[in-house]
Amino acid sequence: MTRMTSFIVVLLVMVIGAILAICVDGHISFDQQEIKVLKSIKSEDGDVIDCVPITNQPAFDHPLLKNHTIQMRPSFYPVSDSTYTKREAKAITQVWHKTGKCPKNTVPIRRAKKEDLLRPKSITSFGRKSHQSIPRTTTFDPTLGHQYALMGVRNGKFYGTKVAINVWKPFVQIPKEFSLAQTWVISGNGSSLNTIEAGWQVYPELYNDNNPRFFVYWTRDGYRKTGCYNLLCSGFIQTSNRYTVGGSITTMSRYGGAQYNLSILIWKDRKTGNWWLRVNEKDVIGYWPGSLFNSLGREATRVEWGGEIINLRTGGRHTTTNMGSGHFANEGFKKASYFRNLMIVDGTNTLREPKGLYYFADKHNCYNVKPGNGGTPWGTHFFYGGPGRNVKCP
């Protein structure tokens, strides 16, 4: 057997082993032989969307969810204390919607392919964030690779958040880097860190393209062994047959032109302890069961909104990966990216504007953040982003 043949055999064993892996405590599962598929939809972006019975989705591989009863709809929705009428945003759609839809009582799951497994540095890292994926808002260590431009609120008791984020298609220099915009709902620290996350991202290594995609994430141990993107491991329970987490977004904002928003609402159902996710003001996607978490089983103590990139310093220089639109925050509406109508859910299940906000950008010559002036219809908002490497960011 030649050395090349031996390498191919080893590679095939790795791939087959990954496909047959069973998900335990948040680890990744690709055992699609055990998932019943009622319908498959080929999307023009290359994705295959499998319509799976709602009771047969990967979430139920998690040992904490073996006897879980699906909650098909929230017990309540947070109410707003705002007195103004908000204009309806231009809602996002996903590319696969053009070629089909999933039947009732199924959920659309983006199929993980064998080639997806070969892109990351290791199978165990596929679909996982690193330990440094929570913004360090007090010190900046360039060796960590993650950079942020965000606003947040801390030292409170929070039961959710609502925000509108405009969607862009930022340039990403190399596949192992990403650019995203998201909200973090956070409790705990270090190895006890709990997070719930949702937003949009461009991540070539994960998706094999440069399309902006809707994503979710969670962890309960500071990104060490639990949690993953989308449905690549057990945990998040999807109830919608309309949207797929990890799916490409069809419409995106244009510099100087139309702006398209991803509206996100995350809130805790106080009757069940589950954390629900809704997009587009009306589309309930699913929930993170409260039993997945420890400190987030009570409430969040911190909420953040903002952009994040990975800077791997290829060639010893700062990455040219864009954040948001790729333009600095001071360029403003239709040019810079933004988060608007920032809200938190308080202990009375009411949506309120957050007080005592802080803002943070660890390298403001590469990416920055600029708070807005408030007022209706945008409420509390901010602009953020930047081009990455430039004259002042070598």
Side-chain angles (χ1 to χ4, degrees):
M1 183 180 291
T2 67
R3 292 174 63 183
M4 179 59 70
T5 303
S6 298
F7 172 77
I8 293 172
V9 170
V10 170
L11 190 61
L12 285 172
V13 170
M14 289 174 63
V15 171
I16 294 170
I19 293 172
L20 298 178
I22 300 299
C23 177
V24 177
D25 197 28
H27 288 86
I28 295 167
S29 171
F30 299 97
D31 190 5
Q32 292 182 327
Q33 293 178 356
E34 293 187 359
I35 296 178
K36 182 179 181 181
V37 177
L38 298 184
K39 179 180 179 180
S40 293
I41 300 168
K42 181 66 181 293
S43 176
E44 66 180 37
D45 61 359
D47 283 356
V48 176
I49 306 300
D50 291 322
C51 303
V52 174
I54 194 169
T55 56
N56 195 221
Q57 60 185 294
F60 300 108
D61 287 334
H62 199 290
L64 293 175
L65 303 179
K66 288 298 183 183
N67 299 312
H68 182 82
T69 300
I70 296 177
Q71 184 182 0
M72 291 303 298
R73 59 187 59 84
S75 300
F76 72 92
Y77 294 88
V79 296
S80 177
D81 68 347
S82 300
T83 57
Y84 66 88
T85 301
K86 186 174 66 176
R87 291 180 298 176
E88 187 71 18
K90 295 180 178 179
I92 67 160
T93 57
Q94 293 186 309
V95 175
W96 70 275
H97 292 166
K98 300 177 183 178
T99 50
K101 60 182 181 180
C102 283
K104 187 177 179 181
N105 296 321
T106 69
V107 294
I109 298 178
R110 179 180 180 268
R111 184 184 298 177
K113 305 172 185 176
K114 292 182 181 179
E115 53 266 33
D116 294 336
L117 304 177
L118 303 180
R119 288 192 299 272
K121 59 184 179 182
S122 71
I123 289 175
T124 56
S125 68
F126 181 68
R128 301 278 295 278
K129 285 190 175 185
S130 70
H131 294 186
Q132 295 82 32
S133 295
I134 282 292
R136 296 171 181 246
T137 54
T138 54
T139 59
F140 171 62
D141 182 350
T143 64
L144 298 179
H146 295 255
Q147 291 177 225
Y148 306 89
L150 59 84
M151 292 193 75
V153 61
R154 58 164 67 100
N155 300 326
K157 293 184 178 181
F158 309 109
Y159 298 90
T161 179
K162 186 179 181 183
V163 70
I165 317 168
N166 62 343
V167 179
W168 297 85
K169 188 178 182 178
F171 169 77
V172 175
Q173 181 177 328
I174 60 174
K176 292 182 182 298
E177 295 180 339
F178 65 59
S179 180
L180 61 76
Q182 70 168 71
T183 182
W184 293 262
V185 178
I186 307 165
S187 184
N189 293 286
S191 61
S192 298
L193 182 79
N194 287 209
T195 75
I196 286 171
E197 307 171 32
W200 63 262
Q201 67 181 168
V202 173
Y203 194 175
E205 183 180 74
L206 184 60
Y207 303 108
N208 200 31
D209 61 31
N210 292 88
N211 297 327
R213 291 173 177 266
F214 167 53
F215 79 90
V216 300
Y217 202 95
W218 69 276
T219 183
R220 70 161 183 231
D221 63 354
Y223 304 98
R224 285 163 171 78
K225 294 182 179 180
T226 64
C228 64
Y229 281 113
N230 308 323
L231 303 182
L232 291 175
C233 68
S234 57
F236 182 80
I237 295 177
Q238 187 158 335
T239 57
S240 170
N241 69 339
R242 173 64 175 158
Y243 285 88
T244 183
V245 290
S248 296
I249 298 173
T250 306
T251 49
M252 59 207 75
S253 302
R254 298 181 64 85
Y255 185 80
Q259 304 296 295
Y260 290 89
N261 298 320
L262 172 61
S263 174
I264 293 176
L265 171 64
I266 297 171
W267 78 103
K268 184 177 182 180
D269 188 325
R270 304 289 283 277
K271 291 185 177 180
T272 64
N274 300 327
W275 290 83
W276 281 89
L277 171 66
R278 189 184 77 183
V279 301
N280 287 351
E281 302 291 337
K282 60 182 179 179
D283 295 305
V284 176
I285 304 300
Y287 61 92
W288 295 267
S291 58
L292 292 176
F293 305 102
N294 35 61
S295 57
L296 266 180
R298 298 183 295 274
E299 69 274 327
T301 57
R302 179 171 148 202
V303 180
E304 291 180 331
W305 309 266
E308 176 185 359
I309 63 97
I310 288 183
N311 171 28
L312 295 182
R313 296 190 61 80
T314 303
R317 298 196 295 171
H318 194 284
T319 183
T320 56
T321 289
N322 294 168
M323 182 186 291
S325 68
H327 294 262
F328 286 113
N330 55 291
E331 291 197 37
F333 183 51
K334 291 191 176 183
K335 297 178 180 179
S337 37
Y338 62 74
F339 283 70
R340 66 172 177 84
N341 301 108
L342 273 63
M343 308 285 278
I344 56 94
V345 181
D346 69 10
T348 67
N349 302 322
T350 302
L351 284 161
R352 301 187 188 278
E353 291 192 339
K355 305 296 183 184
L357 285 164
Y358 57 87
Y359 63 94
F360 171 78
D362 40 26
K363 294 199 72 174
H364 65 271
N365 287 330
C366 308
Y367 315 100
N368 67 354
V369 58
K370 180 181 179 181
N373 296 321
T376 58
W378 277 41
T380 302
H381 65 279
F382 66 93
F383 295 95
Y384 74 98
R389 187 169 75 231
N390 62 77
V391 174
K392 295 184 179 181
C393 174

